[in-house]
């Protein structure tokens, strides 16, 4: 294991509504409450964190700092010390996680597109997987190749080749506009995409998955999830198998407006 997605954190303005949306409608399971500001669905720290940010504001010189830590992707890496050494060599900023934040040594850093990352030192073997898992996290980057260079050169990841559906939708797989960082051949991992304003219009979706980034949860029965969401009045874009080989995808917005993908291997 060189790296893996450990967990994803999303902003949740209403924790109970978010827990119901992800736990019941999408079917990820019961949400735990580690503190008054958070809910967690998963096991051994791996899974989905929902966090209600506080109204805090601080100034550091000419920079204003707000509650940005509610939304990030956490990657587990084989050697955190090696990543830190490369960050130091490149003169890139990072901040140490506080001792109580994670069960493993960890740091916060930003990629060139200013996506917030948590990097954790790989610990004990992951517990047995629940029926669902995080298939990928999509990150927006105006300069895709610059972001890819960061993940390969600094984090130590490898770029893969996009595995397209036989009947691909109307979007570009040019590596300057879409890249996949993966340890497999199923498009799992990190997707780095240049935002495409016409994506939803050309593909006749209500949602534009190329803008703002999103996590993608792989479930056993995506159509059952769609039925539950629509019965609850949630607008769903059913993309079918249009982007990735053998992967049925749907898109929704959660109660806080986060873009969410749910998919299934078919």
């Amino acid at each position: 294991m060189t790296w893996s997605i450990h967990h994803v954190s999303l902003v949740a303005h209403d924790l109970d509504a978010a827990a119901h949306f992800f736990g019941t409608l999408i079917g990820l399971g019961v949400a735990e409450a580690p503190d008054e500001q958070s809910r967690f669905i998963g096991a051994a720290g791996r899974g989905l964190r929902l966090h209600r940010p506080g109204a805090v504001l601080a100034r550091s010189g000419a920079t204003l700092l707000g509650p940005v830590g509610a939304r990030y992707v956490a990657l587990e890496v084989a050697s955190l010390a090696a990543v830190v050494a490369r960050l130091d060599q490149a003169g890139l900023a990072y901040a140490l996680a506080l001792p109580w934040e994670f069960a493993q040594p960890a740091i916060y850093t930003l990629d060139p597109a200013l996506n917030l990352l948590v990097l954790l030192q790989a610990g004990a073997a992951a517990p047995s997987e629940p029926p669902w898992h995080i298939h990928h996290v999509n990150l927006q980057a105006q300069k895709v190749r610059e972001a890819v260079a960061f993940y390969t050169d600094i984090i130590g990841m490898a770029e893969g080749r996009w595995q397209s559906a036989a009947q691909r939708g109307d979007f570009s797989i040019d590596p300057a506009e879409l890249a996949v960082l993966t340890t497999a051949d199923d498009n799992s991992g990190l997707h780095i995409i240049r935002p495409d304003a016409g994506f939803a219009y050309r593909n006749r979706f209500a949602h534009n998955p190329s803008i703002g980034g999103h996590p993608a949860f792989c479930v056993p029965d995506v159509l059952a999830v769609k039925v539950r969401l629509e019965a609850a009045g949630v607008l769903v874009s059913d993309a079918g198998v249009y982007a990735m080989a053998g992967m049925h995808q749907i898109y929704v917005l959660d109660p806080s407006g986060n873009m969410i993908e749910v998919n299934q291997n078919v």
Side-chain angles (χ1 to χ4, degrees):
M1 190 280 290
T2 55
W3 69 275
S4 64
I5 297 174
H6 185 270
H7 68 276
V8 174
S9 180
L10 296 174
V11 172
H13 301 293
D14 184 327
L15 290 172
D16 291 337
H20 174 72
F21 177 88
F22 288 101
T24 301
L25 299 184
I26 295 183
L28 303 188
V30 177
E32 300 175 353
D35 55 61
E36 293 182 355
Q37 297 296 111
S38 301
R39 298 290 184 272
F40 188 84
I41 304 176
R46 296 173 170 85
L48 172 65
R49 173 185 183 250
L50 304 165
H51 185 74
R52 183 176 62 220
V56 297
L57 188 64
R59 180 181 287 279
S60 176
T63 302
L64 288 173
L65 307 174
V68 298
R71 181 183 173 97
Y72 62 78
V73 56
L75 305 176
E76 198 172 44
V77 296
S79 175
L80 183 61
V83 174
V84 168
R86 291 191 290 268
L87 287 166
D88 284 335
Q89 186 175 23
L92 298 175
Y94 59 90
L96 298 177
L98 298 174
W100 49 263
E101 289 185 285
F102 305 103
Q104 300 133 264
I107 64 169
Y108 293 91
T109 191
L110 296 169
D111 74 6
L114 302 185
N115 295 298
L116 181 63
L117 308 174
V118 170
L119 302 173
L120 302 107
Q121 172 60 50
S128 57
E129 285 192 348
W132 61 273
H133 65 275
I134 300 172
H135 178 266
H136 67 266
V137 176
N138 188 297
L139 297 176
Q140 176 179 311
Q142 196 68 33
K143 297 179 180 179
V144 170
R145 301 315 304 170
E146 182 181 31
V148 169
F150 170 85
Y151 286 101
T152 56
D153 298 347
I154 303 297
I155 310 300
M157 301 162 74
E159 185 174 5
R161 180 175 176 272
W162 189 265
Q163 305 297 318
S164 289
Q167 299 296 321
R168 181 164 56 85
D170 190 350
F171 65 95
S172 174
I173 58 170
D174 183 324
E177 298 182 74
L178 175 63
V180 56
L181 297 147
T182 183
T183 59
D185 60 358
D186 60 355
N187 295 313
S188 60
L190 292 186
H191 297 179
I192 312 298
I193 191 168
R194 186 179 183 196
D196 177 354
F199 192 110
Y201 176 79
R202 296 194 308 274
N203 290 283
R204 299 182 181 179
F205 297 163
H207 305 83
N208 188 333
S210 78
I211 294 177
H214 63 263
F217 301 96
C218 190
V219 300
D221 190 343
V222 73
L223 291 180
V225 174
K226 178 185 176 185
V227 168
R228 290 195 297 269
L229 289 165
E230 291 184 332
V234 178
L235 179 65
V236 177
S237 291
D238 188 343
V241 181
Y242 90 110
M244 300 183 284
M247 186 68 74
H248 186 155
Q249 300 167 260
I250 66 173
Y251 301 103
V252 295
L253 295 178
D254 77 0
S256 292
N258 297 300
M259 180 72 71
I260 304 299
E261 176 183 329
V262 185
N263 59 41
Q264 177 191 351
N265 289 303
V266 294

